[in-house]
Amino acid sequence: MAGGTAEGRRVFVSTLPAGPGERRLALAVVLVSVAIFLSAVPFAKVPLGQVWAFIPIYQSALVVNDLITAVLLFGQFGFLRSRALLVLAGGYLFTAFMAVSHILTFPGLFAPTGLLGAGPQSTAWLFMFWHGGFPLCVIAYALLKNDTREIDGPAGRAGVAISSSIAVIVAVVCGLTLLATAGQHALPAIMRGHQYTAVMLSVVSTTWVLSLLALVVLWRRRPHAVLDLWLMVVMCAWVFDIALAAVLNAGRFDLGFYAGRIYGLLAASFVLMVLLLENGKLYARLVQSTAEAEAANRAKSDFLSRMSHELRTPLNGIIGFSQLLELDSLTPEQRESVEHIQKGGRHLLTLINEVLDIARIEAGAISISLEPLPVTDVVESALDLVRPLARGRCITLVDAVAGDDHVMADRQRLQQVLLNLLSNAVKYNRDDGRVEVSCTKAGSGSIRLAIRDTGRGIAPGMLERLYTPFERLGADRSGVEGTGLGLALSRRLVEAMHGTLHVESTVGEGTTFAVELPPAVGRSAVVAGTNGVPPSAATPKTFGTLLYIEDNPANLRLVERIVSYRPGLTLLSAVQGRHGLELARDHQPRAIVLDLHLPDLDGTEVLARLRGDPSTRDIPVVIVSADATPGQVTRLLAQGADAYLTKPLDVSEFLALLDRLFNRTATPCATTT
């Protein structure tokens, strides 16, 4: 976008409407200037001493002021891309460069007739060019300021426009300087020594009229921004400057000469002061916005943590008890009912996980760990997980990935994306169809993973809605399960890994989704992961005491039922953190399962006390919580937890973890999330 957001544009003085306060202040400055001007007019021709230091001091300050003003205005142009601002910034740059030429040619300052080959008319004519050129730039600004056209393009285009503007200004200043020095004989004589000639009145009147015209045009071009208001103040001071220094006085070094130049310096300072004040306000807004954004991110993280807990906790009981029912002897009708409970619970869990993942990405709270990954391993793992679904519909899965290509990606997130795309390719395919996964190098040098199906395809008009959350393109009426969030989440995850997700589809032939990821550079050996799911094994002989600190009765009952499948285990339970600490010290259990949300102590405090007590320091602690945020998991593991399980519990996973804990000797427990 060329010019930033509409809200962002209104913070600049060039776009911010002038309010009553700014108008009153500007009017007060003009009235004070008028009073000083009227007081000085009767004495404008009074001769004063020749203070040679005044010229370099005054014009050096003028050059610095105008250069800083030009830089600030060019900066605003870089954001707003307004042609009017580009012209005005060029006008201030013009005055700065002309002031340099003027001071170098001033007779008697650096040389008797001035530098640059100057003659007796050079300095005066440069003053006229200088004071006539700036009003022309202001008039052009006023005429262009309501023009909504912008200089479009990327940031580099603004740099080109600024560079071109500077080059034009330098060329114009050099041309006018050359005309006033080498070509001075072609110009009418307006100075005789330090006094003005009769021709001077007509020449300076033209310059003066241009300043008045600029003031009128600015006034008529409404609405007025804050910058417009102060430019009108500047043009008033400019009129007074020319009147005192070149119309109402007699020549150089009289009161009008000095007073006019002081007015010129004030005129150069007005807009600069406004711009500097604006920069201070913008910096203050930036600090405030940063603090508000950090607070909002913290609030989002807290909200995600709380929602994760509140949504997962009831599902823990639903899915957990249904898994236990599956282990019992059931009639076919009962088993079908349990399967429906499991199906509905897992569908709801998928929806919760995807909503929370999207929210985490938007809040910047999702954890992405990029590492070199072998494409073949990740694809094989994803295909293995989707094979049962494909087998049920007689769909052929083809792994056409060859070679040893590696990509920079997060293993868990990449597999999540591939699993979602493969599941969609199977679910929305035809019976006895085909799904092919291939890997090629894209033209940009990235690795392209393509998943092609032989389904009915997607109409071109629907492709733009494909990544809209909860948009299923009519599939909700087909009986195919889905949440409408998988593709939206997949796209954001791929982008978070610095990749892109593309789709091509032909109605009646099929659809191809392509994930492009950056290749791994200088990759190291990567070991295939197990996704945190322990392999199933025969029920071992497990003996010992397990302490479960949990205040939710349903969760307590669920774990009691799970532990009943390990007859050698004795379960102790505590509904409060303090009671759990007492039981841990008194009974010395082989392992502790700890919930984080307890009525008296926070679970993190219980963990800290367990690790701080020599009598319980070495007891393995497993955190079981509905808070699945990556930051929470990492923090608890760093504080001494041996494992972190998220609700709803996977019964087989939980039993396998207990078996490892109760049968290990010195081998640390693997972490599961």
Side-chain angles (χ1 to χ4, degrees), residues 444-505:
S444 60
S446 58
I447 304 298
R448 184 177 187 268
L449 275 169
I451 298 173
R452 186 179 186 279
D453 64 54
T454 55
R456 62 176 179 267
I458 304 170
M462 292 185 174
L463 288 176
E464 61 183 17
R465 294 154 45 199
L466 198 59
Y467 301 107
T468 303
F470 299 107
E471 175 61 70
R472 299 193 61 204
L473 305 181
D476 48 335
R477 297 188 296 272
S478 66
V480 179
E481 280 193 1
T483 63
L485 288 172
L487 287 176
L489 175 60
S490 296
R491 186 182 195 179
R492 298 188 192 197
L493 287 174
V494 171
E495 290 173 350
M497 294 184 287
H498 311 300
T500 55
L501 177 60
H502 307 284
V503 61
E504 297 175 0
S505 187

Side-chain angles (χ1 to χ4, degrees), residues 120-163:
Q121 309 300 319
S122 298
T123 303
W125 272 108
L126 285 172
F127 181 90
M128 295 302 134
F129 295 150
W130 168 14
H131 283 70
F134 181 71
L136 288 174
C137 292
V138 173
I139 292 170
Y141 162 81
L143 295 175
L144 289 172
K145 79 183 189 73
N146 293 331
D147 187 352
T148 56
R149 292 176 301 168
E150 297 174 347
I151 296 179
D152 297 323
R157 289 287 299 276
V160 171
I162 292 172
S163 300

Side-chain angles (χ1 to χ4, degrees), residues 277-413:
L277 287 173
E278 175 202 46
N279 272 18
K281 290 178 182 178
L282 289 176
Y283 181 75
R285 287 194 192 106
L286 176 63
V287 172
Q288 182 181 359
S289 298
T290 302
E292 290 174 353
E294 291 174 351
N297 280 336
R298 286 195 298 270
K300 286 181 181 178
S301 298
D302 292 343
F303 171 77
L304 291 174
S305 176
R306 188 65 182 171
M307 287 303 297
S308 177
H309 178 268
E310 295 299 330
L311 294 172
R312 289 171 181 270
T313 296
L315 277 178
N316 186 50
I318 295 171
I319 296 179
F321 280 112
S322 64
Q323 290 180 83
L324 289 176
L325 287 173
E326 281 186 319
L327 301 176
D328 294 339
S329 298
L330 302 174
T331 65
E333 292 81 6
Q334 290 172 331
R335 189 165 297 279
E336 182 182 1
S337 298
V338 171
E339 288 176 357
H340 281 301
I341 295 173
Q342 288 260 32
K343 186 177 179 181
R346 295 205 177 278
H347 177 77
L348 184 56
L349 178 61
T350 300
L351 177 62
I352 291 169
N353 287 338
E354 290 177 345
V355 169
L356 291 175
D357 274 343
I358 289 176
R360 287 190 192 105
I361 293 173
E362 291 178 345
I366 194 165
S367 176
I368 296 291
S369 177
L370 299 179
E371 58 178 334
L373 296 178
V375 174
T376 53
D377 287 358
V378 182
V379 171
E380 287 175 5
S381 179
L383 285 171
D384 288 341
L385 291 172
V386 85
R387 283 189 200 283
L389 180 62
R391 194 177 301 119
R393 299 193 56 203
C394 299
I395 291 175
T396 303
L397 297 180
V398 179
D399 183 356
V401 177
D404 63 344
D405 289 322
H406 285 61
V407 294
M408 288 300 296
D410 183 297
R411 174 181 288 276
Q412 178 186 354
R413 298 302 181 182

Side-chain angles (χ1 to χ4, degrees), residues 58-68 95-97 99-100:
Y58 145 73
Q59 291 202 194
S60 297
L62 193 66
V63 169
V64 171
N65 274 7
D66 286 346
L67 282 177
I68 295 174
T95 63
F97 289 166
V100 173

Side-chain angles (χ1 to χ4, degrees), residues 226-243:
V226 174
L227 179 60
D228 304 335
L229 200 66
W230 286 100
L231 275 176
M232 284 189 273
V233 175
V234 168
M235 295 319 300
C236 287
W238 203 265
V239 168
F240 299 150
D241 171 9
I242 298 172

Side-chain angles (χ1 to χ4, degrees), residues 87 120 168 255 266 440 444 508 575:
V87 171
V168 169
L255 188 141
L266 289 175
T440 57
S444 60
V575 297

Side-chain angles (χ1 to χ4, degrees), residues 40-175:
V41 167
F43 309 100
K45 296 183 179 181
V46 174
L48 299 176
Q50 296 183 0
V51 182
W52 292 104
F54 173 79
I55 299 298
I57 292 173
Y58 145 73
Q59 291 202 194
S60 297
L62 193 66
V63 169
V64 171
N65 274 7
D66 286 346
L67 282 177
I68 295 174
T69 304
V71 169
L72 292 174
L73 289 172
F74 277 131
Q76 286 199 16
F77 163 76
F79 183 85
L80 299 173
R81 307 293 177 88
S82 164
R83 300 171 190 272
L85 278 178
L86 184 64
V87 171
L88 185 62
Y92 272 96
L93 194 65
F94 172 80
T95 63
F97 289 166
M98 288 300 293
V100 173
S101 294
H102 183 269
I103 192 175
L104 291 176
T105 61
F106 200 89
L109 190 59
F110 299 106
T113 59
L115 301 177
L116 305 179
Q121 309 300 319
S122 298
T123 303
W125 272 108
L126 285 172
F127 181 90
M128 295 302 134
F129 295 150
W130 168 14
H131 283 70
F134 181 71
L136 288 174
C137 292
V138 173
I139 292 170
Y141 162 81
L143 295 175
L144 289 172
K145 79 183 189 73
N146 293 331
D147 187 352
T148 56
R149 292 176 301 168
E150 297 174 347
I151 296 179
D152 297 323
R157 289 287 299 276
V160 171
I162 292 172
S163 300
S164 301
S165 176
I166 293 173
V168 169
I169 295 301
V170 170
V172 170
V173 170
C174 290

Side-chain angles (χ1 to χ4, degrees), residues 241-266:
D241 171 9
I242 298 172
L244 287 173
V247 177
L248 302 176
N249 68 328
R252 296 186 181 120
F253 303 113
D254 56 17
L255 188 141
F257 173 85
Y258 288 111
R261 276 154 178 75
I262 292 173
Y263 264 110
L265 183 58
L266 289 175

